[in-house]
Amino acid sequence: MTTEAATPAAPSPAAARLSGAHHRLLAFASLIVLVLGFSLASPNFMQTSNIIAILQATSVNGVLAIAATLVIITGGIDLSVGTLMTFCAVICGVVLTYWGLPLPLGVLGAILAGAAAGFCSGTFVAKLKVPPFIATLGMMLILKGLSLVISGTRPIYFNDTPGFTEIAQGSIVGVLIPSVPLPNGVLILFLVAIAVSFILSKTALGRYTFALGSNEEAVRLSGVNTDRWKIAVYTLAGSICGIAGLLIASRLNSAQPALGQGYELDAIAAVVIGGTSLSGGRGTVLGTLIGALIMSVLLNGLRILSVAQEWQTVVTGSIIILAVYIDMLRRRKL
C-alpha cells in the first residue's frame, strides 16, 4: 500500500486579498509610528520644508518602486531601475542641452529611452530565457556604462532649458491653492500611481501581469502568448523609470551619469514593505506608495538625528530582510 503526500491547497483569492489588506494596514500603522516617533525625537521633523523634502524624495523612489512592482508581480525582479533612471536623465540632457531641442522632445526622449531599455530586458527574459536577476543585472551594468560614455563622464546641466526645474520643483497645485504648495514631482507620482492602478485592475495587461506571477505555465497552456505580455510589462516599467529620470534630473537641474546605482535597493524595499510578494502574483500600487513613504520617512528621520550614512545603509538592508521574512510567513499562512 502506497501513500501520497497531500498537496497544499492553493490560497483562495479572498484569503490572498485579506492577507494583502492586513499587510497594507500594518505598513500604514508602521508609517504612523515612524512619523510620531521622529516628531517627538526632533522638532525639525515636522517643519514644512522637511515634509516637502520627504515628499520630493518619495516622488523619485515611489515612481521607481511602481516600475519595480510591475516586474515583481510577474515573478521577476529588476535590478536596473536605478541606472535606467540615470540613463534616461542623460538622454534627456543630450536632447535638450547638446542638441538644443524643445522641452517636450526631451521628456519624450527620456520616456522612450526607458521603454527601449525595458523592452531589451523583457526580451532577454522572455525570449532568451535569461533569469530576470541576471538579465537586469547585466542591463544595470550596460546602462551605467552607456550613461558615462554618452555624457563623457561629466554632468549635463539644464541651465539653458527654461522650465525644466518646474517638472519636479514647481507647484501647479500651489498656484491654484497657495496654502498647499504640493511639488509637481509628488503630483506626477500620484498620477503615475493612478494610471498603473487602472492598468493593473482594468486592462488585459494588468490581468496577465498577475497571471504570469501566479502560474505562468498555466497561462501558456491556455494559449496565451506569455512572452509578448512579459515584454510589455518590462517595457511599461522601463518607461516609468524614464519618468523617474525626469524627476531626479529636474530636482538636481542636471543629469549626473554616476548617480543611480543603489536606488534599486530602496525601490525593491518599498515594494516588499508594501506587501508585493517576491514570489509573484500579488501586489498593489497603494501598498508600494506606503512602502516608499516609510523608506523616505525613515531615511529622513535618521539624517535629522545625525545617524551616519553607513548605519542608514545597514538599516535599509535590515528592513529588506525583515520585509522578505514577513512575506514568507504570510505565504505560509495562506
Side-chain angles (χ1 to χ4, degrees), residues 139-271:
M139 281 301 297
M140 179 181 74
L141 298 175
I142 291 171
L143 294 169
K144 180 180 179 180
L146 286 176
S147 297
L148 293 169
V149 170
I150 293 172
S151 65
T153 71
R154 296 185 301 272
I156 303 175
Y157 294 96
F158 297 94
N159 296 328
D160 297 327
T161 305
F164 186 78
T165 57
E166 296 296 309
I167 292 176
Q169 300 184 61
S171 179
I172 294 176
V173 175
V175 172
L176 301 175
I177 310 174
S179 60
V180 187
L182 188 71
N184 288 339
V186 181
L187 180 61
I188 291 172
L189 168 62
F190 290 157
L191 292 176
V192 170
I194 292 170
V196 174
S197 294
F198 177 83
I199 290 171
L200 287 176
S201 61
K202 301 296 183 181
T203 69
L205 177 59
R207 290 192 294 273
Y208 285 124
T209 298
F210 284 104
L212 288 171
S214 298
N215 194 331
E216 182 178 346
E217 186 61 24
V219 177
R220 180 181 292 108
L221 292 176
S222 67
V224 175
N225 187 340
T226 57
D227 289 351
R228 183 181 67 180
W229 290 108
K230 187 174 292 186
I231 291 173
V233 171
Y234 277 86
T235 302
L236 176 59
S239 65
I240 295 172
C241 289
I243 296 174
L246 290 169
L247 292 177
I248 195 164
S250 177
R251 281 183 59 194
L252 301 174
N253 198 32
S254 64
Q256 302 286 337
L259 190 68
Q261 194 165 349
Y263 276 77
E264 68 279 351
L265 299 180
D266 289 344
I268 292 172
V271 173

Side-chain angles (χ1 to χ4, degrees), residues 251-325:
R251 281 183 59 194
L252 301 174
N253 198 32
S254 64
Q256 302 286 337
L259 190 68
Q261 194 165 349
Y263 276 77
E264 68 279 351
L265 299 180
D266 289 344
I268 292 172
V271 173
V272 178
I273 290 170
T276 297
S277 175
L278 287 175
S279 62
R282 293 197 306 274
T284 63
V285 172
L286 176 59
T288 294
L289 287 179
I290 295 173
L293 279 169
I294 288 175
M295 292 300 299
S296 297
V297 167
L298 180 62
L299 294 177
N300 180 274
L302 292 176
R303 292 190 190 104
I304 285 182
L305 297 179
S306 301
V307 175
Q309 176 67 44
E310 52 269 27
W311 282 109
Q312 294 178 32
T313 305
V314 170
V315 170
T316 301
S318 301
I319 288 175
I320 293 175
I321 294 173
L322 178 61
V324 172
Y325 180 67

Side-chain angles (χ1 to χ4, degrees), residues 80-151:
S80 68
V81 292
T83 52
L84 177 51
M85 173 187 72
T86 300
F87 176 73
C88 294
V90 168
I91 293 299
C92 181
V94 169
V95 173
L96 296 180
T97 302
Y98 290 176
W99 297 349
L101 296 177
L103 179 59
L105 291 181
V107 172
L108 181 62
I111 295 174
L112 289 179
F119 177 85
C120 291
S121 293
T123 301
F124 296 153
V125 173
K127 294 295 186 181
L128 303 184
K129 307 304 178 185
V130 179
F133 182 91
I134 301 300
T136 58
L137 177 63
M139 281 301 297
M140 179 181 74
L141 298 175
I142 291 171
L143 294 169
K144 180 180 179 180
L146 286 176
S147 297
L148 293 169
V149 170
I150 293 172
S151 65

Side-chain angles (χ1 to χ4, degrees), residues 26-59:
L26 180 61
F28 184 71
S30 301
L31 174 62
I32 298 300
V33 170
L34 282 175
V35 170
L36 292 176
F38 285 127
S39 299
L40 294 174
S42 173
N44 297 323
F45 182 80
M46 288 302 291
Q47 291 184 356
T48 302
S49 59
N50 190 57
I51 297 300
I52 291 177
I54 291 174
L55 292 175
Q56 284 279 36
T58 305
S59 67

